[in-house]
């Protein structure tokens, strides 16, 4: 089991995405808040470049700043992308090979004074 905390406010990729031109074609970029979150998280994740490639459950407890409506699937997507970016996970695919097999036990709470993401990664033993 791997446990760690990212002690900064969670951010999503999908809110406030940016459209830029890449030559003659538009390109969709993640929000500035997500880019900043990903950069800061890189300094705070203790288990970078381990490349988990077996099925795991990623239990994430998100503590957000406000009671504003938040979509936990967007938070999961952002967290999983950060974990792939820093090599904690080999991939965040849910099919062939299935690495992020579940997110059981994940929750969202409000903590305006200490926003963070508590992450617990456990392997799923195949039956």
């Amino acid at each position: 089991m791997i446990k760690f905390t990212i002690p900064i406010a969670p951010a999503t990729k999908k809110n406030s995405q940016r459209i830029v031109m890449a030559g003659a074609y538009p390109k969709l970029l993640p929000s500035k808040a997500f880019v900043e979150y990903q950069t800061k998280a890189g300094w705070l994740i203790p288990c970078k470049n381990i490349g988990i490639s077996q099925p795991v459950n990623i239990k994430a407890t998100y503590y957000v700043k406000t009671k504003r409506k938040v979509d936990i699937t967007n938070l999961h997507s952002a967290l999983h992308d950060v974990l792939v970016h820093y090599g904690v996970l080999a991939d965040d695919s849910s099919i062939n090979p299935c690495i992020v097999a579940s997110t059981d036990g994940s929750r969202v709470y409000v903590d305006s004074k200490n926003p963070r993401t508590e992450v617990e990664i456990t392997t799923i033993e195949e039956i």
Side-chain angles (χ1 to χ4, degrees):
M1 177 187 331
I2 299 170
K3 290 175 84 171
F4 60 91
T5 299
I6 302 172
I8 54 177
T12 65
K13 290 176 75 171
K14 295 183 179 180
N15 292 351
S16 304
Q17 288 180 317
R18 300 169 288 159
I19 299 174
V20 297
M21 293 303 288
Y25 301 98
K27 182 176 180 179
L28 196 59
L29 297 178
S31 68
K32 286 183 182 181
F34 173 77
V35 172
E36 184 178 315
Y37 173 76
Q38 180 171 266
T39 301
K40 287 181 180 178
W43 293 100
L44 303 166
I45 294 173
C47 52
K48 293 185 278 292
N49 300 315
I50 60 173
I52 296 170
S53 60
Q54 64 194 67
V56 293
N57 177 67
I58 300 180
K59 176 185 173 187
T61 307
Y62 303 98
Y63 294 87
V64 296
K65 287 182 179 183
T66 67
K67 291 182 181 180
R68 191 176 71 161
K69 188 175 178 179
V70 64
D71 186 341
I72 193 169
T73 58
N74 288 344
L75 290 171
H76 283 328
S77 177
L79 174 63
H80 299 170
D81 287 349
V82 167
L83 295 177
V84 170
H85 183 79
Y86 288 107
V88 178
L89 303 174
D91 191 8
D92 61 348
S93 173
S94 60
I95 55 170
N96 203 17
C98 178
I99 295 174
V100 179
S102 66
T103 56
D104 293 348
S106 295
R107 301 282 187 271
V108 178
Y109 298 107
V110 175
D111 186 343
S112 60
K113 295 182 180 174
N114 186 21
R116 64 196 179 280
T117 304
E118 296 174 357
V119 181
E120 186 177 308
I121 303 173
T122 53
T123 60
I124 296 177
E125 301 299 327
E126 293 192 43
I127 299 173

